[in-house]
Amino acid sequence: MSFNCTKLLLTHSQIWHAATIHPFLQQCKLGTIKTQQFNTWLLQDYLFVVEFTRMLGRVLASAPPHHFELILGGLAALQDELTWFKQKAAERQLNLHTKKQPTCTEYCEYMHSLGTKPYPVQATALWAIELAYNQGWQLPGEMPAPYKEFANRWGNPGFTEYVKLLEQQADEVLETATDDIQQQAEEAFVKIAKFEQDFWQMAFNAA
Ligand code: HMH
């Protein structure tokens, strides 16, 4: 089997499971998550998405022109997402100028470090980051209000399609990448899976 995104998911199924199935999401589905815990996730994710937007800008800068369209669409969606996060924070009377927790800081620093990696590594990382939220919010099934809106943002069919196209773009460049670059892509995938697991867990740390 050739080296591609499907192979990464199969090779690292256990850690990927931990990245996408977490008590935070299960408690959103059950409606039992504490408001304070949900708000902690919301604020940390806003801070994450600011840095993720910058990462996507760097991915664009590294990408071949025939990959621009999808990435530019992703950047436009992130502009909308940042506005939406600010609305959600305002509704909940949360202060966006809050401190990143260590996990969020480390994850953001890691995204920054990806900017100097070969494009196939960046494309794989981008796909993994988006797939984690697509699957994470989708797998529990229909969530009650107010969590339904959040689940829908990353679980909706259009987002699933976007993630599939990201996978195709990553696969295309992984196929012809050197063994060393493929190995770097695999390391990035594993690192992101661990960060995603830790990210959900932050909701249960004291704010
Ligand atoms: C932590 N991972 C995290 N936050 C997000 N918003 C996404 C992935 C997907 O955009």
Side-chain angles (χ1 to χ4, degrees):
M1 185 185 179
S2 58
F3 186 88
N4 59 25
C5 291
T6 298
K7 186 166 179 177
L8 289 173
L9 286 168
L10 291 172
T11 308
H12 303 285
S13 59
Q14 205 164 340
I15 175 144
W16 192 253
H17 184 277
T20 52
I21 298 170
H22 190 277
F24 175 81
L25 291 163
Q26 285 160 355
Q27 289 174 35
C28 289
K29 154 85 178 171
L30 294 170
T32 57
I33 192 82
K34 292 199 177 95
T35 299
Q36 184 267 323
Q37 292 170 334
F38 189 79
N39 289 347
T40 295
W41 165 80
L42 179 63
L43 284 172
Q44 294 298 315
D45 211 50
Y46 167 74
L47 297 171
F48 172 89
V49 171
V50 169
E51 295 309 319
F52 180 57
T53 303
R54 294 194 167 112
M55 171 186 153
L56 200 49
R58 289 185 293 268
V59 177
L60 178 72
S62 305
H66 70 288
H67 285 192
F68 283 4
E69 185 176 351
L70 189 65
I71 298 166
L72 284 166
L75 278 163
L78 282 175
Q79 173 58 63
D80 175 72
E81 188 163 305
L82 287 166
T83 303
W84 175 81
F85 263 113
K86 283 184 246 178
Q87 280 168 4
K88 294 302 115 188
E91 284 169 14
R92 291 166 175 267
Q93 299 176 316
L94 304 176
N95 179 8
L96 289 172
H97 301 281
T98 181
K99 212 165 136 41
K100 286 193 184 94
Q101 288 197 27
T103 293
C104 187
T105 300
E106 282 171 40
Y107 200 172
C108 290
E109 284 171 4
Y110 178 66
M111 286 195 290
H112 198 260
S113 76
L114 285 168
T116 59
K117 299 267 196 257
Y119 177 65
V121 179
Q122 295 187 49
T124 304
L126 171 60
W127 160 72
I129 290 170
E130 296 291 41
L131 183 69
Y133 261 42
N134 181 232
Q135 292 188 342
W137 285 102
Q138 206 169 51
L139 288 173
E142 181 132 354
M143 289 192 186
Y147 309 115
K148 189 188 173 112
E149 181 184 353
F150 292 83
N152 209 17
R153 170 153 287 272
W154 293 283
N156 78 77
F159 194 76
T160 302
E161 190 54 35
Y162 171 63
V163 176
K164 282 200 184 115
L165 295 171
L166 289 176
E167 176 174 348
Q168 282 176 22
Q169 291 197 168
D171 281 351
E172 178 206 314
V173 291
L174 283 172
E175 191 178 353
T176 54
T178 62
D179 288 355
D180 172 60
I181 290 173
Q182 289 179 352
Q183 196 177 320
Q184 289 182 54
E186 183 154 5
E187 283 163 12
F189 179 81
V190 170
K191 216 163 165 73
I192 285 162
K194 290 184 180 146
F195 274 132
E196 290 291 339
Q197 182 184 355
D198 292 348
F199 206 94
W200 301 124
Q201 194 58 37
M202 276 192 296
F204 301 110
N205 297 344

